[in-house]
């Protein structure tokens, strides 16, 4: 385990190999099976790298998990209407299996939230306050799907991204808040994966069960 400090001594990244037990990894694996149809539909022949087929392991080499990249979000704005409409639950959580998906990821999501409580207390408490306000808004604006989803949403993060069998080019996440942490975890049967952070001149082993936290807006990173 390690923490990475800036010139002023502030922690800018946490690296926790073997943070997730085998049991927790199996829970995440099972939850991924529930979203397999959405993962399969997410891959495109062209377009942005997040869902471009060039970055994913071909299906013939992946007979266990379905490759793809989807977002599960309690608060999602329709594309192009970020400042013109109320946020909604993402389409990925509007289907008949949404409750089963949220129940399946509840414990792993709670573990990430508890980790954030230690790593970045301010972000943790701000997130809790935001979800209290969100619950009030869902009630006052009569957003029943959001109210229902809130009952099963087990994390202070507003988006969970599921990425299966994809390499990621070095990049920054420009839509994120600079001073907030993302938490990344990984599960599966693979060898020799690396998390690169060229802006920090680091390359870290990204083995199954690993947890890494940092600001995706500030730290350039890839896998």
């Amino acid at each position: 385990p390690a923490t990475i400090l800036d010139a002023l001594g502030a922690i800018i990244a946490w690296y926790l190999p073997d943070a997730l037990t085998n049991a927790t990894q199996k829970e995440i694996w099972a939850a991924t099976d529930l979203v397999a149809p959405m993962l399969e539909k997410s891959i495109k022949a062209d377009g942005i790298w997040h869902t471009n087929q060039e970055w994913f392991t071909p299906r013939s080499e992946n007979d266990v998990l379905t490759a793809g990249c989807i977002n599960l979000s309690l608060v999602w704005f329709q594309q192009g209407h970020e400042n013109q409409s109320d946020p909604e639950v993402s389409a990925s959580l509007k289907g008949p299996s949404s409750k089963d998906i949220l129940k399946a990821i509840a414990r792993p999501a709670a573990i990430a939230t508890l980790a954030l409580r230690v790593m970045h207390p301010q972000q943790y408490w701000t997130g809790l306050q935001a979800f209290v306000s969100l619950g009030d808004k869902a009630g006052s604006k009569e957003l029943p799907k959001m109210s229902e989803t809130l009952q099963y949403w087990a994390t202070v993060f507003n988006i969970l991204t599921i990425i299966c069998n994809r390499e990621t080019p070095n990049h920054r996440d420009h839509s994120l808040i600079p001073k907030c942490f993302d938490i990344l975890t990984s599960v599966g049967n693979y060898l020799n994966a690396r998390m690169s952070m060229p802006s920090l001149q680091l390359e870290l082993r990204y083995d199954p069960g690993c947890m890494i936290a940092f600001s995706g807006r500030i730290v350039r990173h890839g896998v």
Side-chain angles (χ1 to χ4, degrees), residues 34-221:
L34 292 176
V35 297
M38 289 186 283
L39 287 168
E40 187 171 14
K41 291 179 181 178
S42 70
I43 299 181
K44 311 299 180 185
D46 52 18
I48 60 174
W49 61 263
H50 299 79
T51 52
N52 191 307
Q53 63 183 7
E54 292 184 6
W55 292 96
F56 291 88
T57 303
R59 182 66 181 179
S60 60
E61 299 176 21
N62 170 30
D63 57 357
V64 179
L65 287 177
T66 301
C69 175
I70 62 170
N71 293 307
L72 307 177
S73 180
L74 184 63
V75 187
W76 195 261
F77 288 95
Q78 296 182 38
Q79 189 171 5
H81 298 274
E82 289 81 358
N83 298 316
Q84 303 173 22
S85 63
D86 291 322
E88 301 178 5
V89 173
S90 63
S92 55
L93 290 176
K94 290 182 178 179
S97 61
S98 60
K99 188 181 295 185
D100 291 334
I101 293 169
L102 291 171
K103 287 181 177 180
I105 64 174
R107 200 176 76 92
I111 289 172
T113 295
L114 291 173
L116 184 70
R117 172 67 179 86
V118 175
M119 297 171 176
H120 199 321
Q122 181 180 0
Q123 182 180 346
Y124 170 83
W125 289 112
T126 300
L128 283 182
Q129 293 169 4
F131 279 101
V132 170
S133 298
L134 190 61
D136 292 341
K137 183 173 183 178
S140 64
K141 296 228 172 185
E142 298 183 353
L143 303 173
K145 186 60 180 178
M146 187 175 291
S147 295
E148 177 187 342
T149 306
L150 268 169
Q151 298 177 47
Y152 301 98
W153 192 261
T155 176
V156 296
F157 292 98
N158 66 313
I159 296 177
L160 300 176
T161 300
I162 299 174
I163 304 168
C164 283
N165 293 289
R166 189 190 75 191
E167 293 183 39
T168 301
N170 290 325
H171 68 286
R172 291 185 177 90
D173 299 306
H174 295 287
S175 63
L176 303 181
I177 299 173
K179 63 182 180 180
C180 289
F181 279 172
D182 305 311
I183 293 182
L184 285 66
T185 61
S186 186
V187 304
N189 297 320
Y190 62 86
L191 299 171
N192 301 320
R194 295 290 187 270
M195 168 71 71
S196 63
M197 297 179 173
S199 55
L200 300 178
Q201 299 182 346
L202 289 174
E203 185 174 272
L204 304 171
R205 292 177 62 95
Y206 197 41
D207 295 330
C210 181
M211 178 181 288
I212 303 177
F214 57 91
S215 169
R217 174 71 177 271
I218 295 175
V219 178
R220 195 163 176 256
H221 58 284

